[in-house]
Structure formats: C-alpha cells, structure tokens
Amino acid sequence: RAMAGSKGAAKAAKAARDDSEQEPLKIQNLGDMAQIKRVLDETAVAAVLDMGYDERHLVTDSKIALGLLAVGLALAAQFYPAPYPENKTVLFLCVAGYCLLNLALQCITSFVENGVVLFTKPNPSAGKAIVENKGLAVRVTMRRFSETCDVSVMRVDNRLADHPDTVTETLRVCEFIYEDGVVAEDKFRNAVEALVERFERGGEGNKTK
C-alpha cells in the first residue's frame, strides 16, 4: 500500500528528525525502492506538519475501524458456540461481512488514499480559502526503479492530478539521496515546503520539472 497509515508516517518522521540531530539520515540499501519511498514520504509529511498544518486522521481511523470489524467477524465465525450445520447462517453472514469489509478497505486504499501520504485539517493561517476551510493533501509518487518522484499538493476535496489547483513537481531522487546513502533531508523538506507555498499562492502553473 502506498500509504501504511498517516499516523505512523508522522511518528516515524518525528523520530527521523530527532535522529538526524545525532547523525544524518542514511539509507543502507540503495536498491531498496520501498525504503527510499518510505523515507521520502516521511520527510514530506514532516515538512508539511512543521509548516503549521495538523494531520487529519479520518481516513486512517476509518481503515483501523473496518479492520477491527473484519477481525471481529472472523473471530465470531471461528468461535460461535454452535456446531455445523446449525451455525451455517452465522458463518455465511460472517464470511460475507468479512469480504465486504475487505472490499471497503481496498476501495479506501485505491480511491481515497490513492498514494496520498498526508491529509490535513483546515489551516486558518494558510491564506488560501480552500485550505483555510478544508485543508490539503500531499501525494508522493515514485515508480519502481525510477530516478524521479512526483510530489503533488492538492485540495483535500478534489485530488485529481489535472485539477487547476493541484501543483506537482518532478524531483530527481539522486539530488536528495547521495551515493553513500545519506539523505539530504533538509533539501527535500525545502522542496516540499516551496511546493506547499506555491499551492497556497494559487498554483503558478500545474507541473514543473
């Protein structure tokens, strides 16, 4: 999943910042694209939160609640106090509910999150009406074995890549992760912050490279 949980990303990002005061953030295996993507995600989340935005946990909390319900149905099907076939109606309902809940989780991941690493709450000090009223969303996209990543800042209520309010910048990963694995964390944070500021000003062009 593109996004394992925005709460976890925020905590990991904070931990990464604390560790960076001791030593620079470093990727041990430059061939591990998942680790590279995770580091970029966490750094982007930290950059936006440090700009005064607060994280919106609704999507993550919804996924947790659906997951717990699915586990509850599985446990009910397993331990329902009646032998088969007396419990077949309960088993059918539990299996059907479990499948529907998992389908709902997949739909949230694919169509709601869709690569978004951060949803924010409204920010009254942002200076842009849509952000003051509803917040923004940040997406980091990186294809496997790609040398670039796309960072997008968009309306939280309309996350289309081609929406006039969406701003996207294509960044070369090698400019932020060096050959020895050291991550130029501050440099990437600055790039993300500049993109958020462009969004707050009203875009100034949809995509740059």
Side-chain angles (χ1 to χ4, degrees):
R1 294 179 181 177
M3 175 181 167
S6 51
K7 287 183 179 178
K11 292 179 181 179
K14 184 178 184 301
R17 292 200 305 276
D18 294 341
D19 290 343
S20 67
E21 296 177 0
Q22 308 295 328
E23 58 184 26
L25 184 62
K26 190 172 184 179
I27 294 176
Q28 300 299 324
N29 180 10
L30 291 177
D32 188 346
M33 304 304 292
Q35 184 183 11
I36 292 175
K37 175 66 165 57
R38 184 168 58 252
V39 167
L40 296 179
D41 288 349
E42 293 169 357
T43 305
V45 168
V48 177
L49 295 181
D50 285 348
M51 294 180 73
Y53 287 87
D54 292 321
E55 188 172 2
R56 185 196 300 265
H57 299 297
L58 178 60
V59 174
T60 301
D61 290 344
S62 298
K63 290 174 63 179
I64 292 173
L66 291 174
L68 290 175
L69 286 173
V71 171
L73 288 177
L75 292 173
Q78 179 69 28
F79 298 108
Y80 186 76
Y84 187 84
E86 295 176 19
N87 65 349
K88 63 180 181 181
T89 300
V90 173
L91 287 177
F92 173 78
L93 292 174
C94 288
V95 170
Y98 182 86
C99 293
L100 289 174
L101 289 172
N102 275 278
L103 179 61
L105 284 169
Q106 289 300 320
C107 288
I108 290 175
T109 300
S110 300
F111 302 111
V112 179
E113 287 182 340
N114 192 23
V116 171
V117 297
L118 176 68
F119 296 93
T120 76
K121 297 178 181 178
N123 184 0
S125 63
K128 185 175 182 179
I130 188 61
V131 182
E132 293 175 350
N133 296 328
K134 296 189 176 182
L136 57 79
V138 180
R139 176 184 292 144
V140 180
T141 306
M142 183 178 175
R143 289 177 291 275
R144 191 175 185 183
F145 304 124
S146 174
E147 296 181 355
T148 63
C149 71
D150 290 337
V151 182
S152 301
V153 181
M154 61 202 78
R155 294 168 52 140
V156 75
D157 62 337
N158 196 325
R159 299 181 297 280
L160 297 177
D162 57 354
H163 191 279
D165 288 335
T166 299
V167 291
T168 301
E169 185 159 4
T170 300
L171 305 173
R172 292 182 60 82
V173 176
C174 62
E175 295 180 0
F176 305 97
I177 300 177
Y178 304 134
E179 292 182 357
D180 58 359
V182 172
V183 179
E185 190 176 2
D186 289 340
K187 187 176 180 181
F188 189 73
R189 286 169 61 93
N190 291 338
V192 174
E193 290 169 1
L195 199 60
V196 172
E197 290 170 356
R198 277 179 48 206
F199 178 79
E200 292 174 343
R201 291 195 299 267
E204 301 178 3
N206 181 263
K207 186 170 183 176
T208 60
K209 293 184 178 182

